[in-house]
mmCIF file of all heavy atoms in Angstrom:
data_model
loop_
_atom_site.group_PDB
_atom_site.id
_atom_site.type_symbol
_atom_site.label_atom_id
_atom_site.label_comp_id
_atom_site.label_asym_id
_atom_site.label_seq_id
_atom_site.Cartn_x
_atom_site.Cartn_y
_atom_site.Cartn_z
ATOM 1 N N MET A 1 0.842 -1.202 0.000
ATOM 2 C CA MET A 1 0.000 0.000 0.000
ATOM 3 C C MET A 1 0.876 1.250 0.000
ATOM 4 O O MET A 1 1.735 1.418 0.852
ATOM 5 C CB MET A 1 -0.904 -0.011 1.238
ATOM 6 C CG MET A 1 -1.777 1.240 1.361
ATOM 7 S SD MET A 1 -3.063 1.324 0.088
ATOM 8 C CE MET A 1 -3.791 2.915 0.468
ATOM 9 N N SER A 2 0.667 2.100 -0.976
ATOM 10 C CA SER A 2 1.428 3.334 -1.065
ATOM 11 C C SER A 2 0.486 4.509 -0.839
ATOM 12 O O SER A 2 -0.062 5.055 -1.788
ATOM 13 C CB SER A 2 2.093 3.447 -2.430
ATOM 14 O OG SER A 2 2.830 2.278 -2.710
ATOM 15 N N ALA A 3 0.298 4.873 0.406
ATOM 16 C CA ALA A 3 -0.632 5.948 0.744
ATOM 17 C C ALA A 3 -0.031 7.323 0.501
ATOM 18 O O ALA A 3 1.117 7.581 0.860
ATOM 19 C CB ALA A 3 -1.064 5.813 2.194
ATOM 20 N N CYS A 4 -0.841 8.160 -0.105
ATOM 21 C CA CYS A 4 -0.426 9.541 -0.356
ATOM 22 C C CYS A 4 -0.135 10.249 0.968
ATOM 23 O O CYS A 4 -0.918 10.154 1.909
ATOM 24 C CB CYS A 4 -1.546 10.260 -1.109
ATOM 25 S SG CYS A 4 -1.279 12.016 -1.339
ATOM 26 N N THR A 5 0.999 10.945 1.023
ATOM 27 C CA THR A 5 1.378 11.667 2.244
ATOM 28 C C THR A 5 0.346 12.737 2.578
ATOM 29 O O THR A 5 0.109 13.029 3.746
ATOM 30 C CB THR A 5 2.756 12.326 2.043
ATOM 31 O OG1 THR A 5 3.708 11.293 1.755
ATOM 32 C CG2 THR A 5 3.208 13.081 3.276
ATOM 33 N N TYR A 6 -0.286 13.277 1.573
ATOM 34 C CA TYR A 6 -1.249 14.359 1.802
ATOM 35 C C TYR A 6 -2.665 13.861 2.074
ATOM 36 O O TYR A 6 -3.262 14.196 3.081
ATOM 37 C CB TYR A 6 -1.260 15.314 0.610
ATOM 38 C CG TYR A 6 -2.276 16.412 0.763
ATOM 39 C CD1 TYR A 6 -2.113 17.393 1.754
ATOM 40 C CD2 TYR A 6 -3.398 16.473 -0.046
ATOM 41 C CE1 TYR A 6 -3.052 18.391 1.924
ATOM 42 C CE2 TYR A 6 -4.343 17.481 0.109
ATOM 43 C CZ TYR A 6 -4.162 18.432 1.101
ATOM 44 O OH TYR A 6 -5.101 19.423 1.264
ATOM 45 N N CYS A 7 -3.208 13.041 1.169
ATOM 46 C CA CYS A 7 -4.625 12.680 1.298
ATOM 47 C C CYS A 7 -4.859 11.223 1.697
ATOM 48 O O CYS A 7 -5.987 10.846 2.002
ATOM 49 C CB CYS A 7 -5.367 12.991 -0.005
ATOM 50 S SG CYS A 7 -5.016 11.826 -1.330
ATOM 51 N N GLY A 8 -3.825 10.400 1.697
ATOM 52 C CA GLY A 8 -3.989 9.028 2.146
ATOM 53 C C GLY A 8 -4.482 8.047 1.095
ATOM 54 O O GLY A 8 -4.602 6.860 1.364
ATOM 55 N N CYS A 9 -4.759 8.536 -0.125
ATOM 56 C CA CYS A 9 -5.196 7.636 -1.196
ATOM 57 C C CYS A 9 -4.018 6.767 -1.658
ATOM 58 O O CYS A 9 -2.865 7.080 -1.391
ATOM 59 C CB CYS A 9 -5.695 8.430 -2.402
ATOM 60 S SG CYS A 9 -7.253 9.275 -2.138
ATOM 61 N N ASP A 10 -4.321 5.707 -2.373
ATOM 62 C CA ASP A 10 -3.277 4.864 -2.935
ATOM 63 C C ASP A 10 -2.691 5.590 -4.149
ATOM 64 O O ASP A 10 -3.374 5.778 -5.157
ATOM 65 C CB ASP A 10 -3.897 3.528 -3.365
ATOM 66 C CG ASP A 10 -2.853 2.584 -3.924
ATOM 67 O OD1 ASP A 10 -1.679 2.976 -4.018
ATOM 68 O OD2 ASP A 10 -3.224 1.453 -4.262
ATOM 69 N N VAL A 11 -1.435 6.009 -4.044
ATOM 70 C CA VAL A 11 -0.832 6.819 -5.107
ATOM 71 C C VAL A 11 -0.716 6.071 -6.435
ATOM 72 O O VAL A 11 -0.728 6.682 -7.490
ATOM 73 C CB VAL A 11 0.560 7.359 -4.725
ATOM 74 C CG1 VAL A 11 0.462 8.275 -3.520
ATOM 75 C CG2 VAL A 11 1.538 6.234 -4.480
ATOM 76 N N THR A 12 -0.619 4.742 -6.379
ATOM 77 C CA THR A 12 -0.436 3.988 -7.618
ATOM 78 C C THR A 12 -1.685 4.020 -8.489
ATOM 79 O O THR A 12 -1.645 3.634 -9.648
ATOM 80 C CB THR A 12 -0.043 2.526 -7.317
ATOM 81 O OG1 THR A 12 -1.061 1.922 -6.531
ATOM 82 C CG2 THR A 12 1.279 2.468 -6.574
ATOM 83 N N ALA A 13 -2.801 4.498 -7.941
ATOM 84 C CA ALA A 13 -4.036 4.598 -8.716
ATOM 85 C C ALA A 13 -4.086 5.904 -9.487
ATOM 86 O O ALA A 13 -5.014 6.158 -10.239
ATOM 87 C CB ALA A 13 -5.246 4.492 -7.784
ATOM 88 N N HIS A 14 -3.072 6.745 -9.299
ATOM 89 C CA HIS A 14 -3.062 8.061 -9.947
ATOM 90 C C HIS A 14 -1.774 8.226 -10.737
ATOM 91 O O HIS A 14 -1.287 7.268 -11.319
ATOM 92 C CB HIS A 14 -3.219 9.140 -8.876
ATOM 93 C CG HIS A 14 -4.464 8.977 -8.061
ATOM 94 N ND1 HIS A 14 -4.511 8.246 -6.902
ATOM 95 C CD2 HIS A 14 -5.722 9.413 -8.283
ATOM 96 C CE1 HIS A 14 -5.747 8.245 -6.418
ATOM 97 N NE2 HIS A 14 -6.508 8.938 -7.238
ATOM 98 N N ASP A 15 -1.226 9.444 -10.768
ATOM 99 C CA ASP A 15 0.047 9.717 -11.441
ATOM 100 C C ASP A 15 1.049 10.115 -10.368
ATOM 101 O O ASP A 15 1.320 11.297 -10.183
ATOM 102 C CB ASP A 15 -0.105 10.858 -12.455
ATOM 103 C CG ASP A 15 -1.084 10.493 -13.553
ATOM 104 O OD1 ASP A 15 -0.951 9.393 -14.107
ATOM 105 O OD2 ASP A 15 -1.980 11.312 -13.850
ATOM 106 N N PRO A 16 1.567 9.124 -9.650
ATOM 107 C CA PRO A 16 2.354 9.411 -8.453
ATOM 108 C C PRO A 16 3.621 10.234 -8.661
ATOM 109 O O PRO A 16 4.297 10.135 -9.685
ATOM 110 C CB PRO A 16 2.686 8.029 -7.895
ATOM 111 C CG PRO A 16 2.496 7.089 -9.020
ATOM 112 C CD PRO A 16 1.469 7.689 -9.921
ATOM 113 N N VAL A 17 3.894 11.052 -7.642
ATOM 114 C CA VAL A 17 5.100 11.875 -7.594
ATOM 115 C C VAL A 17 5.789 11.542 -6.274
ATOM 116 O O VAL A 17 5.141 11.466 -5.243
ATOM 117 C CB VAL A 17 4.739 13.384 -7.598
ATOM 118 C CG1 VAL A 17 6.000 14.231 -7.484
ATOM 119 C CG2 VAL A 17 3.974 13.733 -8.867
ATOM 120 N N PHE A 18 7.097 11.291 -6.333
ATOM 121 C CA PHE A 18 7.821 10.931 -5.120
ATOM 122 C C PHE A 18 8.853 12.002 -4.789
ATOM 123 O O PHE A 18 9.527 12.511 -5.669
ATOM 124 C CB PHE A 18 8.525 9.577 -5.294
ATOM 125 C CG PHE A 18 7.554 8.458 -5.554
ATOM 126 C CD1 PHE A 18 7.165 8.161 -6.851
ATOM 127 C CD2 PHE A 18 7.018 7.731 -4.508
ATOM 128 C CE1 PHE A 18 6.249 7.143 -7.094
ATOM 129 C CE2 PHE A 18 6.101 6.715 -4.741
ATOM 130 C CZ PHE A 18 5.717 6.416 -6.033
ATOM 131 N N VAL A 19 8.973 12.303 -3.503
ATOM 132 C CA VAL A 19 9.907 13.331 -3.048
ATOM 133 C C VAL A 19 10.980 12.672 -2.190
ATOM 134 O O VAL A 19 10.682 11.773 -1.404
ATOM 135 C CB VAL A 19 9.167 14.410 -2.215
ATOM 136 C CG1 VAL A 19 10.152 15.428 -1.661
ATOM 137 C CG2 VAL A 19 8.116 15.096 -3.073
ATOM 138 N N ALA A 20 12.219 13.095 -2.380
ATOM 139 C CA ALA A 20 13.313 12.571 -1.560
ATOM 140 C C ALA A 20 14.185 13.723 -1.103
ATOM 141 O O ALA A 20 14.294 14.748 -1.769
ATOM 142 C CB ALA A 20 14.139 11.568 -2.351
ATOM 143 N N GLU A 21 14.784 13.566 0.070
ATOM 144 C CA GLU A 21 15.703 14.569 0.587
ATOM 145 C C GLU A 21 17.073 13.916 0.723
ATOM 146 O O GLU A 21 17.182 12.708 0.958
ATOM 147 C CB GLU A 21 15.223 15.068 1.952
ATOM 148 C CG GLU A 21 13.938 15.873 1.855
ATOM 149 C CD GLU A 21 13.453 16.358 3.212
ATOM 150 O OE1 GLU A 21 14.071 15.979 4.232
ATOM 151 O OE2 GLU A 21 12.466 17.103 3.236
ATOM 152 N N LEU A 22 18.118 14.727 0.535
ATOM 153 C CA LEU A 22 19.464 14.202 0.639
ATOM 154 C C LEU A 22 20.007 14.426 2.045
ATOM 155 O O LEU A 22 19.990 15.540 2.562
ATOM 156 C CB LEU A 22 20.357 14.904 -0.394
ATOM 157 C CG LEU A 22 21.683 14.223 -0.709
ATOM 158 C CD1 LEU A 22 21.442 12.879 -1.380
ATOM 159 C CD2 LEU A 22 22.508 15.112 -1.633
ATOM 160 N N ALA A 23 20.441 13.362 2.696
ATOM 161 C CA ALA A 23 21.014 13.474 4.044
ATOM 162 C C ALA A 23 22.274 12.621 4.082
ATOM 163 O O ALA A 23 22.227 11.410 3.889
ATOM 164 C CB ALA A 23 20.010 13.002 5.088
ATOM 165 N N ASP A 24 23.420 13.257 4.312
ATOM 166 C CA ASP A 24 24.697 12.557 4.337
ATOM 167 C C ASP A 24 24.929 11.760 3.059
ATOM 168 O O ASP A 24 25.462 10.642 3.099
ATOM 169 C CB ASP A 24 24.778 11.621 5.545
ATOM 170 C CG ASP A 24 24.752 12.388 6.867
ATOM 171 O OD1 ASP A 24 25.256 13.528 6.889
ATOM 172 O OD2 ASP A 24 24.228 11.852 7.854
ATOM 173 N N GLY A 25 24.517 12.315 1.932
ATOM 174 C CA GLY A 25 24.743 11.660 0.658
ATOM 175 C C GLY A 25 23.737 10.590 0.296
ATOM 176 O O GLY A 25 23.821 9.999 -0.774
ATOM 177 N N ASP A 26 22.784 10.338 1.174
ATOM 178 C CA ASP A 26 21.764 9.323 0.890
ATOM 179 C C ASP A 26 20.419 9.977 0.631
ATOM 180 O O ASP A 26 20.060 10.955 1.277
ATOM 181 C CB ASP A 26 21.615 8.359 2.071
ATOM 182 C CG ASP A 26 22.817 7.446 2.230
ATOM 183 O OD1 ASP A 26 23.363 7.021 1.198
ATOM 184 O OD2 ASP A 26 23.194 7.188 3.389
ATOM 185 N N ARG A 27 19.696 9.382 -0.325
ATOM 186 C CA ARG A 27 18.355 9.886 -0.608
ATOM 187 C C ARG A 27 17.374 9.248 0.363
ATOM 188 O O ARG A 27 17.256 8.033 0.420
ATOM 189 C CB ARG A 27 17.960 9.542 -2.048
ATOM 190 C CG ARG A 27 18.693 10.382 -3.073
ATOM 191 C CD ARG A 27 18.490 9.811 -4.449
ATOM 192 N NE ARG A 27 17.068 9.815 -4.802
ATOM 193 C CZ ARG A 27 16.565 10.561 -5.774
ATOM 194 N NH1 ARG A 27 17.349 11.317 -6.485
ATOM 195 N NH2 ARG A 27 15.296 10.525 -6.043
ATOM 196 N N LEU A 28 16.685 10.086 1.112
ATOM 197 C CA LEU A 28 15.686 9.586 2.049
ATOM 198 C C LEU A 28 14.296 9.962 1.554
ATOM 199 O O LEU A 28 14.054 11.111 1.222
ATOM 200 C CB LEU A 28 15.905 10.213 3.437
ATOM 201 C CG LEU A 28 17.255 9.968 4.089
ATOM 202 C CD1 LEU A 28 17.332 10.737 5.400
ATOM 203 C CD2 LEU A 28 17.466 8.487 4.331
ATOM 204 N N PRO A 29 13.390 8.990 1.510
ATOM 205 C CA PRO A 29 12.028 9.288 1.072
ATOM 206 C C PRO A 29 11.419 10.373 1.962
ATOM 207 O O PRO A 29 11.501 10.291 3.189
ATOM 208 C CB PRO A 29 11.286 7.966 1.260
ATOM 209 C CG PRO A 29 12.356 6.932 1.260
ATOM 210 C CD PRO A 29 13.558 7.585 1.881
ATOM 211 N N ALA A 30 10.846 11.403 1.343
ATOM 212 C CA ALA A 30 10.276 12.501 2.119
ATOM 213 C C ALA A 30 8.795 12.668 1.821
ATOM 214 O O ALA A 30 8.169 13.625 2.239
ATOM 215 C CB ALA A 30 11.019 13.791 1.827
ATOM 216 N N GLY A 31 8.226 11.717 1.083
ATOM 217 C CA GLY A 31 6.795 11.811 0.802
ATOM 218 C C GLY A 31 6.450 11.225 -0.541
ATOM 219 O O GLY A 31 7.303 11.098 -1.421
ATOM 220 N N GLN A 32 5.195 10.836 -0.675
ATOM 221 C CA GLN A 32 4.699 10.327 -1.950
ATOM 222 C C GLN A 32 3.296 10.869 -2.126
ATOM 223 O O GLN A 32 2.534 10.993 -1.165
ATOM 224 C CB GLN A 32 4.700 8.797 -1.961
ATOM 225 C CG GLN A 32 4.012 8.172 -0.761
ATOM 226 C CD GLN A 32 4.316 6.693 -0.662
ATOM 227 O OE1 GLN A 32 5.227 6.183 -1.292
ATOM 228 N NE2 GLN A 32 3.520 5.985 0.125
ATOM 229 N N PHE A 33 2.994 11.222 -3.385
ATOM 230 C CA PHE A 33 1.755 11.944 -3.638
ATOM 231 C C PHE A 33 1.054 11.425 -4.888
ATOM 232 O O PHE A 33 1.705 10.935 -5.812
ATOM 233 C CB PHE A 33 2.063 13.436 -3.792
ATOM 234 C CG PHE A 33 2.789 13.992 -2.597
ATOM 235 C CD1 PHE A 33 4.176 13.940 -2.526
ATOM 236 C CD2 PHE A 33 2.091 14.507 -1.518
ATOM 237 C CE1 PHE A 33 4.860 14.413 -1.402
ATOM 238 C CE2 PHE A 33 2.753 14.976 -0.392
ATOM 239 C CZ PHE A 33 4.133 14.935 -0.334
ATOM 240 N N CYS A 34 -0.282 11.545 -4.906
ATOM 241 C CA CYS A 34 -1.085 11.082 -6.046
ATOM 242 C C CYS A 34 -0.638 11.762 -7.337
ATOM 243 O O CYS A 34 -0.592 11.153 -8.396
ATOM 244 C CB CYS A 34 -2.554 11.426 -5.830
ATOM 245 S SG CYS A 34 -3.268 10.695 -4.367
ATOM 246 N N ASN A 35 -0.323 13.053 -7.217
ATOM 247 C CA ASN A 35 0.039 13.867 -8.363
ATOM 248 C C ASN A 35 0.589 15.194 -7.821
ATOM 249 O O ASN A 35 0.682 15.380 -6.614
ATOM 250 C CB ASN A 35 -1.179 14.090 -9.275
ATOM 251 C CG ASN A 35 -2.392 14.569 -8.475
ATOM 252 O OD1 ASN A 35 -2.257 15.394 -7.580
ATOM 253 N ND2 ASN A 35 -3.558 14.042 -8.786
ATOM 254 N N TYR A 36 0.913 16.096 -8.736
ATOM 255 C CA TYR A 36 1.466 17.371 -8.286
ATOM 256 C C TYR A 36 0.450 18.183 -7.497
ATOM 257 O O TYR A 36 0.824 19.049 -6.683
ATOM 258 C CB TYR A 36 1.991 18.172 -9.488
ATOM 259 C CG TYR A 36 3.319 17.648 -9.981
ATOM 260 C CD1 TYR A 36 3.399 16.888 -11.157
ATOM 261 C CD2 TYR A 36 4.476 17.887 -9.258
ATOM 262 C CE1 TYR A 36 4.608 16.375 -11.583
ATOM 263 C CE2 TYR A 36 5.695 17.384 -9.686
ATOM 264 C CZ TYR A 36 5.755 16.622 -10.854
ATOM 265 O OH TYR A 36 6.953 16.115 -11.285
ATOM 266 N N GLY A 37 -0.834 17.925 -7.724
ATOM 267 C CA GLY A 37 -1.874 18.634 -6.972
ATOM 268 C C GLY A 37 -1.741 18.350 -5.489
ATOM 269 O O GLY A 37 -1.780 19.262 -4.656
ATOM 270 N N CYS A 38 -1.610 17.074 -5.136
ATOM 271 C CA CYS A 38 -1.473 16.705 -3.728
ATOM 272 C C CYS A 38 -0.150 17.210 -3.176
ATOM 273 O O CYS A 38 -0.078 17.656 -2.034
ATOM 274 C CB CYS A 38 -1.561 15.183 -3.565
ATOM 275 S SG CYS A 38 -3.269 14.574 -3.497
ATOM 276 N N LEU A 39 0.895 17.171 -3.981
ATOM 277 C CA LEU A 39 2.206 17.656 -3.539
ATOM 278 C C LEU A 39 2.117 19.153 -3.234
ATOM 279 O O LEU A 39 2.565 19.611 -2.186
ATOM 280 C CB LEU A 39 3.255 17.397 -4.619
ATOM 281 C CG LEU A 39 4.643 18.009 -4.377
ATOM 282 C CD1 LEU A 39 5.229 17.544 -3.058
ATOM 283 C CD2 LEU A 39 5.578 17.652 -5.524
ATOM 284 N N ALA A 40 1.507 19.896 -4.149
ATOM 285 C CA ALA A 40 1.382 21.346 -3.969
ATOM 286 C C ALA A 40 0.547 21.668 -2.739
ATOM 287 O O ALA A 40 0.888 22.561 -1.961
ATOM 288 C CB ALA A 40 0.760 21.973 -5.214
ATOM 289 N N ALA A 41 -0.538 20.924 -2.527
ATOM 290 C CA ALA A 41 -1.411 21.161 -1.377
ATOM 291 C C ALA A 41 -0.662 20.860 -0.084
ATOM 292 O O ALA A 41 -0.776 21.597 0.899
ATOM 293 C CB ALA A 41 -2.661 20.291 -1.486
ATOM 294 N N HIS A 42 0.123 19.779 -0.105
ATOM 295 C CA HIS A 42 0.895 19.401 1.081
ATOM 296 C C HIS A 42 1.938 20.472 1.407
ATOM 297 O O HIS A 42 2.109 20.864 2.562
ATOM 298 C CB HIS A 42 1.591 18.058 0.838
ATOM 299 C CG HIS A 42 2.568 17.681 1.917
ATOM 300 N ND1 HIS A 42 2.180 17.312 3.172
ATOM 301 C CD2 HIS A 42 3.925 17.646 1.914
ATOM 302 C CE1 HIS A 42 3.267 17.058 3.914
ATOM 303 N NE2 HIS A 42 4.329 17.254 3.169
ATOM 304 N N ILE A 43 2.626 20.957 0.386
ATOM 305 C CA ILE A 43 3.645 21.991 0.569
ATOM 306 C C ILE A 43 3.011 23.241 1.168
ATOM 307 O O ILE A 43 3.543 23.839 2.100
ATOM 308 C CB ILE A 43 4.314 22.335 -0.784
ATOM 309 C CG1 ILE A 43 5.211 21.178 -1.212
ATOM 310 C CG2 ILE A 43 5.105 23.631 -0.679
ATOM 311 C CD1 ILE A 43 5.764 21.316 -2.620
ATOM 312 N N ASP A 44 1.846 23.599 0.647
ATOM 313 C CA ASP A 44 1.107 24.765 1.119
ATOM 314 C C ASP A 44 0.740 24.613 2.585
ATOM 315 O O ASP A 44 1.009 25.479 3.412
ATOM 316 C CB ASP A 44 -0.187 24.873 0.303
ATOM 317 C CG ASP A 44 -0.291 26.207 -0.380
ATOM 318 O OD1 ASP A 44 0.761 26.755 -0.746
ATOM 319 O OD2 ASP A 44 -1.434 26.691 -0.536
ATOM 320 N N GLU A 45 0.125 23.487 2.895
ATOM 321 C CA GLU A 45 -0.391 23.242 4.234
ATOM 322 C C GLU A 45 0.726 23.166 5.269
ATOM 323 O O GLU A 45 0.594 23.651 6.387
ATOM 324 C CB GLU A 45 -1.185 21.935 4.230
ATOM 325 C CG GLU A 45 -2.222 21.871 5.324
ATOM 326 C CD GLU A 45 -3.260 20.823 5.021
ATOM 327 O OE1 GLU A 45 -3.030 19.672 5.384
ATOM 328 O OE2 GLU A 45 -4.301 21.161 4.397
ATOM 329 N N ALA A 46 1.848 22.551 4.887
ATOM 330 C CA ALA A 46 2.946 22.382 5.833
ATOM 331 C C ALA A 46 3.909 23.568 5.815
ATOM 332 O O ALA A 46 4.843 23.620 6.601
ATOM 333 C CB ALA A 46 3.699 21.086 5.520
ATOM 334 N N GLY A 47 3.683 24.522 4.903
ATOM 335 C CA GLY A 47 4.545 25.707 4.853
ATOM 336 C C GLY A 47 5.982 25.357 4.512
ATOM 337 O O GLY A 47 6.912 26.004 4.985
ATOM 338 N N LEU A 48 6.169 24.323 3.689
ATOM 339 C CA LEU A 48 7.517 23.830 3.406
ATOM 340 C C LEU A 48 8.390 24.786 2.617
ATOM 341 O O LEU A 48 9.613 24.639 2.611
ATOM 342 C CB LEU A 48 7.421 22.502 2.642
ATOM 343 C CG LEU A 48 6.769 21.345 3.402
ATOM 344 C CD1 LEU A 48 6.759 20.097 2.547
ATOM 345 C CD2 LEU A 48 7.504 21.091 4.705
ATOM 346 N N THR A 49 7.781 25.739 1.925
ATOM 347 C CA THR A 49 8.608 26.610 1.085
ATOM 348 C C THR A 49 8.997 27.903 1.781
ATOM 349 O O THR A 49 9.763 28.685 1.235
ATOM 350 C CB THR A 49 7.871 26.971 -0.221
ATOM 351 O OG1 THR A 49 6.636 27.601 0.107
ATOM 352 C CG2 THR A 49 7.616 25.735 -1.062
ATOM 353 N N GLU A 50 8.521 28.109 3.005
ATOM 354 C CA GLU A 50 8.831 29.357 3.685
ATOM 355 C C GLU A 50 10.312 29.460 4.013
ATOM 356 O O GLU A 50 10.874 28.611 4.692
ATOM 357 C CB GLU A 50 8.006 29.476 4.969
ATOM 358 C CG GLU A 50 6.604 29.978 4.691
ATOM 359 C CD GLU A 50 5.741 30.021 5.938
ATOM 360 O OE1 GLU A 50 6.284 30.333 6.999
ATOM 361 O OE2 GLU A 50 4.543 29.722 5.809
ATOM 362 N N GLY A 51 10.940 30.523 3.477
ATOM 363 C CA GLY A 51 12.346 30.764 3.757
ATOM 364 C C GLY A 51 13.295 29.777 3.127
ATOM 365 O O GLY A 51 14.430 29.644 3.551
ATOM 366 N N THR A 52 12.833 29.053 2.090
ATOM 367 C CA THR A 52 13.697 28.037 1.528
ATOM 368 C C THR A 52 14.086 28.270 0.074
ATOM 369 O O THR A 52 14.576 27.366 -0.580
ATOM 370 C CB THR A 52 13.033 26.637 1.621
ATOM 371 O OG1 THR A 52 11.804 26.691 0.903
ATOM 372 C CG2 THR A 52 12.787 26.234 3.048
ATOM 373 N N ALA A 53 13.862 29.482 -0.445
ATOM 374 C CA ALA A 53 14.239 29.734 -1.825
ATOM 375 C C ALA A 53 15.754 29.660 -1.960
ATOM 376 O O ALA A 53 16.479 30.135 -1.088
ATOM 377 C CB ALA A 53 13.757 31.104 -2.263
ATOM 378 N N CYS A 54 16.252 29.003 -3.025
ATOM 379 C CA CYS A 54 17.685 28.882 -3.178
ATOM 380 C C CYS A 54 18.282 30.159 -3.738
ATOM 381 O O CYS A 54 19.477 30.386 -3.690
ATOM 382 C CB CYS A 54 18.034 27.690 -4.087
ATOM 383 S SG CYS A 54 17.446 27.869 -5.769
ATOM 384 N N ARG A 55 17.405 31.016 -4.262
ATOM 385 C CA ARG A 55 17.888 32.298 -4.789
ATOM 386 C C ARG A 55 16.836 33.353 -4.545
ATOM 387 O O ARG A 55 15.664 33.134 -4.816
ATOM 388 C CB ARG A 55 18.154 32.177 -6.285
ATOM 389 C CG ARG A 55 18.859 33.374 -6.846
ATOM 390 C CD ARG A 55 19.106 33.221 -8.329
ATOM 391 N NE ARG A 55 17.851 33.275 -9.073
ATOM 392 C CZ ARG A 55 17.765 32.982 -10.368
ATOM 393 N NH1 ARG A 55 18.801 32.588 -11.028
ATOM 394 N NH2 ARG A 55 16.606 33.090 -10.981
ATOM 395 N N ILE A 56 17.243 34.457 -3.991
ATOM 396 C CA ILE A 56 16.289 35.542 -3.730
ATOM 397 C C ILE A 56 16.608 36.713 -4.646
ATOM 398 O O ILE A 56 17.723 37.236 -4.601
ATOM 399 C CB ILE A 56 16.352 35.977 -2.250
ATOM 400 C CG1 ILE A 56 15.937 34.805 -1.364
ATOM 401 C CG2 ILE A 56 15.431 37.173 -2.024
ATOM 402 C CD1 ILE A 56 16.110 35.076 0.126
ATOM 403 N N ASP A 57 15.660 37.068 -5.468
ATOM 404 C CA ASP A 57 15.873 38.181 -6.391
ATOM 405 C C ASP A 57 15.612 39.508 -5.698
ATOM 406 O O ASP A 57 14.719 39.617 -4.893
ATOM 407 C CB ASP A 57 14.937 38.045 -7.600
ATOM 408 C CG ASP A 57 15.343 36.836 -8.453
ATOM 409 O OD1 ASP A 57 16.547 36.570 -8.537
ATOM 410 O OD2 ASP A 57 14.449 36.185 -9.011
HETATM 411 ZN ZN1 ZN B 101 -3.213 12.395 -2.675
#
């Protein structure tokens, strides 16, 4: 069972997107989502992009 990190649905029934973070050179799973919609909603809800831009214009 691959439950969506955001909505809990089975991601394999949709167009899944997987997120990984790099820690000490290893890729660690950081979430799985039905599609970019769920990923975007999760990012919004968790405030993951606050203060994390790699470049500030
Ligand atoms: Zn979902």
